[in-house]
Each structure stands twice: as structure tokens, then as C-alpha cells.
Amino acid sequence: MYMMTKEEQAKELLRKYTDGEATAEERQEVERWYNKYENNGRHIPGQRKAEIGEQIFRKLSAAMEEDRRGNTLRLMNWTRLAGIAAVLLLVSALAIIFWPVSKQGAVERMATISTTASETKTIVLADGSEINLKPSGKLMYPARFKADSRTVALTEGEAFFKIAHDEHRPFMVKTAGGLYTRVLGTSFNIRSYGSTRKICIAVSTGKVAVGNAQQVFGTLTKGQQLTYDKHDLRAVIDYTPKPVYVNIEFDGETLLKACKRLEYIYGVRINLATKTLNHLKCTATFNSRQSPDEIIDLICSLHQLKVVQLADGKTFNLYKK
């Protein structure tokens, strides 16, 4: 038997309150929560305030439009609007409980960076990932990522992401319409302007999963792109008209880490014959235009290793000569 979580119970109670379906006892409980929150005077992060403000605006606009159909705005309707606003403010109080927090319990601090119509900016995140924000763009990101995830929000514009590989902490980019792009470490471009109805995600290296809260639209690999229509809520996957190539840099990384990155970027498997090979250092710069076997051959020549490529074309075994 399925039992709702406390968060789900709270949301259901707020929905009933807003829709006028709550009992007298349930209305009293909601109002008690709200009064308790008001008296505590708790702080709401700036990003969350903006989101709550948009929610209130949409709710009020929808209710006002409904009431205008009769060309009148009755006093009872304005009371209803006030109730909706109060409930949304209460949602902000509950959101503090469920908003991402650090181990110390403090609200995660988000930084915001934007560009004018004539500039671009490069942001280097705490994990070493790089984001190139194009003109007229806006990006929100935490000063420090959480231990189990990495999340940023492209709220406006276009950006090219070059994400540091971390198999234990997926990287997620949130965009308009509840769309998300989830990766472990790769390079891709997202174009998401508020003035246009479509969002486009194009992959240069590696692979990404794109979806929303309801479903995953697809997994994209090198040379593929997904176009999402915010109005029709439809996604189409095809190939990028012009491939984008990026540098693949290794700066003193162990051979094990370098091989893991290449595995993710090219979708191949690289086996090191002995553990002694794991700790060999790798310093080199390659380009995604190169094939994986070409890069692996070059790395092996640096360390005097032997490589055997299996019949499947995607598995490479490395040995000491």
C-alpha cells in the first residue's frame, strides 16, 4: 500500500485549500502553518523569491481572467485571490524545508552571471567545468557543489558547456519549461531564449540525457541534437548540421583517469592489463576530431605501451611492452 510522503501530503493539502476543497479543520491547519511561518520571519533565497513571485503572478492572472468573463470582479473573488497569494507564500515556507541545503543546513548560495548583447563570458566552476555564456545570457550556479550532485540553471540565452567528468556526481543543467540536461562529463551547447519557443541541445562529445519531470526524451551522443518545443511540449532528435570540435586536455592526470574520460567521450572500453599502469601520468592535448584509436595509439607511444583493438572496434586492451 502506497503512503504519501510528508511533502506530498503538504502539497495535497495546499491544493485543496486553494481549490476550495479543504474542510474547516484542514483550512485551520493551513492557516496555522502560515501564521507560524510569518512569526518566525525566516529568510527566503533571492532565486526562490523570484520563482514564487512568478507563481503568484500566474495564479492571480489566471483567476482574474476567469472572473473577468462576467465583466465584473466581485469582492469574494478578490478574497479568493488573496487566499491564493497567501497559500503561495506558505509554499515558500515549505520550500525552505525541501530546497537544496548543505550538510550544515544552510540554504545553498547561488551566484548569477549575465552577459550583454555584445559580450561573452567564461565561467570556471568549482569542479573545473567550464561554461562559455554567449551574448544576452543569464546563468545561475552554486559557489560550491553538493557532495552527490552538480546543478546549474541556464535561465536565458545560449551557453557551451565543457563538463569535468565525475561519475559519482552527475551534472545537470536546468532550462525553461522544466527541461533538464543530465551528464557525467562531456561538452555540449544549449540555446534557450525566452523570446523563442524552442530549446536546442547539441552534443559535441560524450552523451547527455534530456527530459523533464515526467519523462526522458532521449539520450544524445556526439553529433546529435534535440529540439524541444515549449508550446507543443514535443522533442525531436536529429543530427547537428555542423559538428563542433573541442580540445581534450590531460594535465598530469593518471592513465586510469584519462582512459575513463576517453571511455565516456567516445563510448568505448579501455582495459589496463595491470594496476601498475593505472598510475602512469598523462599530459597531452587532443581534439575530438580525432578518432579514439588514434588518441589511444598516441598515449601508448608516450608510455611505450602495446594496444590491442578487439573485433568489436570499441574495446582496447593496453599492455606493457
Side-chain angles (χ1 to χ4, degrees), residues 269 308-317:
R269 182 165 183 80
V308 175
Q309 184 175 1
L310 301 189
D312 62 7
K314 292 186 177 183
T315 304
F316 301 83
N317 295 330

Side-chain angles (χ1 to χ4, degrees), residues 19-309:
D19 294 343
E21 300 174 2
T23 65
E25 290 182 356
E26 289 172 332
R27 287 197 302 271
Q28 288 177 1
E29 185 175 0
V30 170
E31 289 162 4
R32 185 173 66 254
W33 283 351
Y34 180 65
N35 292 332
K36 182 178 179 181
Y37 167 70
E38 283 289 280
N39 294 333
N40 287 341
R42 300 179 71 174
H43 170 70
I44 306 173
Q47 178 190 9
R48 191 58 180 155
K49 284 182 179 178
E51 293 180 354
I52 294 164
E54 292 178 2
Q55 286 181 291
I56 293 174
F57 176 78
R58 288 195 297 267
K59 287 281 188 179
L60 294 181
S61 297
M64 289 172 67
E65 181 63 28
E66 179 183 336
D67 290 332
R68 284 196 182 100
R69 291 173 185 172
N71 296 320
T72 60
L73 282 172
R74 297 180 297 276
L75 178 60
M76 63 176 292
N77 294 326
W78 282 106
T79 303
R80 174 180 165 229
L81 299 187
I84 292 173
V87 169
L88 284 167
L89 288 173
L90 176 57
V91 170
S92 71
L94 294 175
I96 292 177
I97 300 173
F98 305 115
W99 195 249
V101 295
S102 67
K103 290 182 179 179
Q104 290 75 28
V107 176
E108 186 177 38
R109 294 183 179 181
M110 302 292 288
T112 301
I113 189 167
S114 58
T115 54
T116 66
S118 60
E119 69 175 341
T120 62
K121 291 181 181 178
T122 298
I123 305 100
V124 180
L125 302 178
D127 66 338
S129 298
E130 293 184 12
I131 302 175
N132 183 254
L133 187 61
K134 307 294 178 64
S136 302
K138 186 176 181 181
L139 179 81
M140 301 184 72
Y141 61 96
R144 178 176 298 179
F145 289 118
K146 295 191 293 182
D148 58 352
S149 64
R150 300 174 290 170
T151 303
V152 302
L154 180 64
T155 56
E156 176 67 18
E158 181 176 358
F160 185 83
F161 297 80
K162 191 174 181 182
I163 304 305
H165 181 76
D166 188 339
E167 58 187 281
H168 301 296
R169 291 193 300 170
F171 193 100
M172 185 178 294
V173 183
K174 295 181 178 180
T175 45
L179 202 68
Y180 69 81
T181 302
R182 185 179 185 275
V183 304
L184 292 176
T186 185
S187 56
F188 56 97
N189 192 83
I190 297 180
R191 186 170 64 250
S192 176
Y193 288 95
S195 58
T196 60
R197 63 184 289 174
K198 293 183 178 180
I199 298 173
C200 183
I201 297 100
V203 177
S204 298
T205 63
K207 60 183 177 181
V208 306
V210 182
N212 57 22
Q214 287 74 43
Q215 62 180 313
V216 176
F217 296 120
T219 300
L220 310 179
T221 57
K222 177 182 177 181
Q224 290 186 313
Q225 67 178 14
L226 180 145
T227 304
Y228 178 73
D229 191 309
K230 293 183 287 186
H231 293 181
D232 295 341
L233 307 181
R234 291 189 305 171
V236 176
I237 298 176
D238 57 12
Y239 290 92
T240 53
K242 184 178 180 181
V244 177
Y245 300 105
V246 297
N247 285 339
I248 304 170
E249 300 174 354
F250 302 115
D251 185 12
E253 295 182 44
T254 64
L255 183 57
L256 179 62
K257 285 189 176 181
C259 289
K260 289 294 184 184
R261 281 185 60 193
L262 291 174
E263 284 182 335
Y264 189 79
I265 289 172
Y266 287 101
V268 298
R269 182 165 183 80
I270 306 172
N271 301 312
L272 300 178
T274 64
K275 290 184 178 180
T276 56
L277 301 182
N278 293 355
H279 307 292
L280 295 175
K281 298 296 182 182
C282 184
T283 299
T285 299
F286 304 103
N287 191 278
S288 61
R289 186 191 298 270
Q290 297 172 273
S291 64
D293 52 311
E294 179 184 352
I295 294 176
I296 293 170
D297 279 339
L298 289 170
I299 290 176
C300 286
S301 66
L302 292 174
H303 293 288
Q304 298 183 340
L305 302 178
K306 178 184 177 181
V307 58
V308 175
Q309 184 175 1

